């Protein structure tokens, strides 16, 4: 695996831009309007799944105009390079009692579907007023458990992607666009 601390190797990891910042911005404006329409003035709790969804959450919460509270949960999917081990661990739970809320889960990407499936099962038993899932990206060809988001902004092919919150070995989260990651050594 390449050493991403080295500038040349870091830059070689960015193969090509898949989704531009402008495309993301426009899709988030549309998603905000859909959320406003769905909840029609009722307050919601937006729950971001850390770390990957932190950038998406920051933009999406400013695109909705219903009253909204923000919450965070941290789920860690263990990776060896770009390959998921299938182990999902909740390392930080929500502080809110969700039985008082219409909950919208805000996730970066649905890949195998395991993370969201586990999180949804965990949250359902806490009896939220309602529970919906908004994902920035969806890779349906990789699904291992039957899971569908209520809203996915972009459907992408089976590429490992980086940027706009998504990482490879914790790097690239700060890229303003979504790019395909290159496995080839520089
Ligand atoms: P799952 O396989 O649907 O459980 O996906 C779990 C998590 O793996 C996602 O929330 C992401 O944080 C991460 N992940 C999946 N695919 C990618 C990718 O292409 N790039 C970066 N992270 C990914
Ligand atoms: Mg994630």
């Amino acid at each position: 695996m390449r050493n991403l601390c080295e500038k040349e190797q870091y830059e070689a990891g960015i193969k090509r831009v898949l989704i531009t910042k402008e495309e993301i911005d426009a899709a988030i404006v549309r998603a905000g309007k859909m959320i406003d329409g769905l909840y029609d003035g009722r307050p919601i709790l937006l729950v971001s799944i850390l770390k990957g969804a932190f950038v998406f959450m920051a933009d999406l919460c400013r695109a909705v105009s219903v009253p909204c509270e923000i919450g965070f949960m941290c789920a860690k999917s263990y990776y060896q390079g770009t390959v998921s081990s299938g182990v999902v661990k909740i390392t930080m739970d929500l502080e809110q009692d969700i039985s008082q809320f219409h909950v919208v889960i805000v996730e970066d990407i649905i890949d195998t579907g395991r993370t969201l499936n586990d999180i949804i099962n965990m949250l359902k038993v806490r009896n939220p007023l309602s529970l919906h899932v908004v994902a920035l990206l969806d890779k349906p060809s990789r699904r291992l458990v039957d899971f569908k988001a209520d809203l996915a902004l972009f459907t992408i092919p089976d590429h490992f992607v980086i940027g706009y919150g998504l990482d490879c070995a914790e790097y690239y989260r700060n890229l303003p666009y979504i790019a395909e990651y290159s496995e080839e050594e520089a």
Side-chain angles (χ1 to χ4, degrees):
M1 219 178 99
R2 64 158 52 93
N3 180 3
L4 295 174
C5 307
E6 286 181 14
K7 188 169 180 285
E8 243 175 63
Q9 296 196 42
Y10 171 87
E11 284 169 358
I14 308 170
K15 189 170 180 183
R16 67 187 174 102
V17 177
L18 270 189
I19 309 170
T20 64
K21 181 180 184 307
E22 290 71 25
E23 289 169 325
I24 297 170
D25 290 347
I28 289 180
V29 169
R30 290 194 295 273
K33 289 196 174 122
M34 285 180 72
I35 292 172
D36 285 347
L38 184 62
Y39 295 98
D40 194 24
R42 283 173 298 174
I44 58 174
L45 171 65
L46 289 175
V47 176
S48 169
I49 312 298
L50 296 172
K51 296 176 198 171
F54 82 107
V55 180
F56 180 36
M57 170 67 132
D59 285 340
L60 184 66
C61 73
R62 288 175 289 175
V64 300
S65 29
V66 289
C68 96
E69 204 171 299
I70 304 292
F72 294 99
M73 274 180 95
C74 194
K76 210 165 163 43
S77 335
Y78 291 87
Y79 269 83
Q80 288 224 304
T82 59
V83 183
S84 168
S85 68
V87 179
V88 181
K89 209 176 144 202
I90 308 296
T91 56
M92 186 185 87
D93 201 352
L94 267 173
E95 61 180 18
Q96 286 92 347
D97 167 8
I98 63 170
S99 66
Q100 309 300 318
F101 287 100
H102 292 284
V103 175
V104 181
I105 308 275
V106 179
E107 177 59 313
D108 53 356
I109 187 165
I110 313 176
D111 186 37
T112 64
R114 285 192 193 111
T115 305
L116 277 178
N117 200 52
D118 285 8
I119 288 175
I120 293 291
N121 288 337
M122 191 176 145
L123 295 185
K124 263 187 189 158
V125 296
R126 300 183 191 174
N127 295 314
L129 298 175
S130 65
L131 186 58
H132 289 97
V133 174
V134 178
L136 176 69
L137 304 172
D138 191 4
K139 273 197 256 184
S141 60
R142 296 254 314 159
R143 211 65 102 245
L144 292 177
V145 299
D146 184 22
F147 186 86
K148 210 169 170 299
D150 297 288
L151 176 62
L153 276 55
F154 300 95
T155 299
I156 60 167
D158 181 13
H159 297 312
F160 194 82
V161 291
I162 49 174
Y164 198 75
L166 292 120
D167 73 306
C168 179
E170 296 299 328
Y171 284 93
Y172 304 110
R173 293 192 195 274
N174 56 322
L175 295 178
Y177 49 80
I178 308 274
E180 187 181 335
Y181 178 70
S182 167
E183 308 263 6
E184 290 145 37
E185 301 282 328

